[in-house]
Amino acid sequence: SSCDPVLRPIIRRRARSLPTSPERRKRAAVQCQVPGCQSPRNRVRFADALGLELTEVKVFQTGEDPSIPLHVLSRLSINSDLWYSSSDLEFTMQCLVPDFQQPADCMDFSSRLQEQQVCLERVTSSDLGLSGTIQVCNVAFEKQVSVRYTFNEWKSIHEVCAHWHSSIPEKNGHGQVDVFTFFLPVPPFLLQLCSVVQFAARYQVNGREYWDNNRGKNYSLTCRTHPLKMPRECEESWIHFI
């Protein structure tokens, strides 16, 4: 038999008090028989907007500001835009947008990979950071792939290791290519207009080092604002997206 809990769809409903069961009423009656007990104990339950149990309660001291995650702030901003819109639901989102064409979509991707031995394949952005894939020629089994990046025009440098994902045959059919994945964490202050992230891929194998720096220009992403629209009839279903 499975120990997994039964999954139930989340529905929009009001928070309500904890229902009283016969067992709970019996326990309350027993407690009231204790000498000095004048009335049954009141039971209080805290719940969120969906009526679900709260998992943790934190008490803040005077003058202490709570730390709100960036993705929560962005969703609150979206919900505020939706509330004040009149016709279609319109709101804006700020995200890092590539200033280059995805290398995998370029006609010269295979030739660049053969020439450099390493080539960025694709990169995507989210409110948490940048994710992407890199292809390298399988020169030897032992290899190391990393991404060097900066938030301030290379005044300071950060580097993260990429992890092996899979091996695929080359398009010309003469060899094999290894695919590596990477993730660059992006701090919240970078999600401001005109902020720029730059990076380059590094490949170390057989005591040699190869780079893919977008033909000397580096790969860059700029924070831009994107308008999004949603029909007014979708307002009731917006909570499922949040």
Side-chain angles (χ1 to χ4, degrees), residues 98-159:
D99 299 322
F100 54 89
Q101 184 180 4
Q102 297 287 356
D105 298 334
C106 299
M107 299 296 295
D108 63 343
F109 179 77
S110 297
S111 60
R112 288 178 61 181
L113 178 59
Q114 291 298 322
E115 176 187 350
Q116 303 170 163
Q117 301 296 303
V118 54
C119 191
L120 173 71
E121 182 180 23
R122 197 174 298 276
V123 63
T124 58
S125 63
S126 68
D127 55 352
L128 300 179
L130 303 177
S131 302
T133 54
I134 300 172
Q135 289 192 15
V136 299
C137 294
N138 189 19
V139 178
F141 178 78
E142 294 291 338
K143 57 178 69 70
Q144 183 176 353
V145 180
S146 60
V147 176
R148 185 171 293 182
Y149 62 102
T150 180
F151 302 132
N152 52 13
E153 297 289 339
W154 303 105
K155 295 177 183 178
S156 60
I157 298 175
H158 310 274
E159 191 162 351

Side-chain angles (χ1 to χ4, degrees), residues 2 10 31 35 65 83 99 105 110 121 169 193 206 241:
S2 174
I10 297 178
Q31 292 173 354
D65 295 330
W83 179 263
D99 299 322
D105 298 334
S110 297
E121 182 180 23
L193 291 181
N206 282 349
F241 179 79

Side-chain angles (χ1 to χ4, degrees), residues 57-203:
V57 176
K58 176 176 175 58
V59 179
F60 292 93
Q61 303 297 329
T62 303
E64 182 183 0
D65 295 330
S67 177
I68 304 177
L70 177 62
H71 68 278
V72 174
L73 289 176
S74 62
R75 291 174 179 175
L76 288 175
S77 176
I78 292 173
N79 200 30
S80 176
D81 291 342
L82 292 176
W83 179 263
Y84 289 105
S85 61
S86 57
S87 56
D88 286 343
L89 307 179
E90 298 181 4
F91 57 95
T92 59
M93 296 187 66
Q94 294 181 192
C95 59
L96 292 169
V97 180
D99 299 322
F100 54 89
Q101 184 180 4
Q102 297 287 356
D105 298 334
C106 299
M107 299 296 295
D108 63 343
F109 179 77
S110 297
S111 60
R112 288 178 61 181
L113 178 59
Q114 291 298 322
E115 176 187 350
Q116 303 170 163
Q117 301 296 303
V118 54
C119 191
L120 173 71
E121 182 180 23
R122 197 174 298 276
V123 63
T124 58
S125 63
S126 68
D127 55 352
L128 300 179
L130 303 177
S131 302
T133 54
I134 300 172
Q135 289 192 15
V136 299
C137 294
N138 189 19
V139 178
F141 178 78
E142 294 291 338
K143 57 178 69 70
Q144 183 176 353
V145 180
S146 60
V147 176
R148 185 171 293 182
Y149 62 102
T150 180
F151 302 132
N152 52 13
E153 297 289 339
W154 303 105
K155 295 177 183 178
S156 60
I157 298 175
H158 310 274
E159 191 162 351
V160 295
C161 292
H163 302 282
W164 182 88
H165 179 265
S166 60
S167 296
I168 59 176
E170 292 187 36
K171 290 187 177 181
N172 56 21
H174 298 311
Q176 199 174 44
V177 172
D178 286 332
V179 180
F180 284 75
T181 61
F182 67 90
F183 175 76
L184 306 182
V186 175
F189 70 83
L190 274 178
L191 291 182
Q192 301 175 0
L193 291 181
C194 301
S195 297
V196 179
V197 179
Q198 294 177 287
F199 70 91
R202 182 186 184 191
Y203 178 33

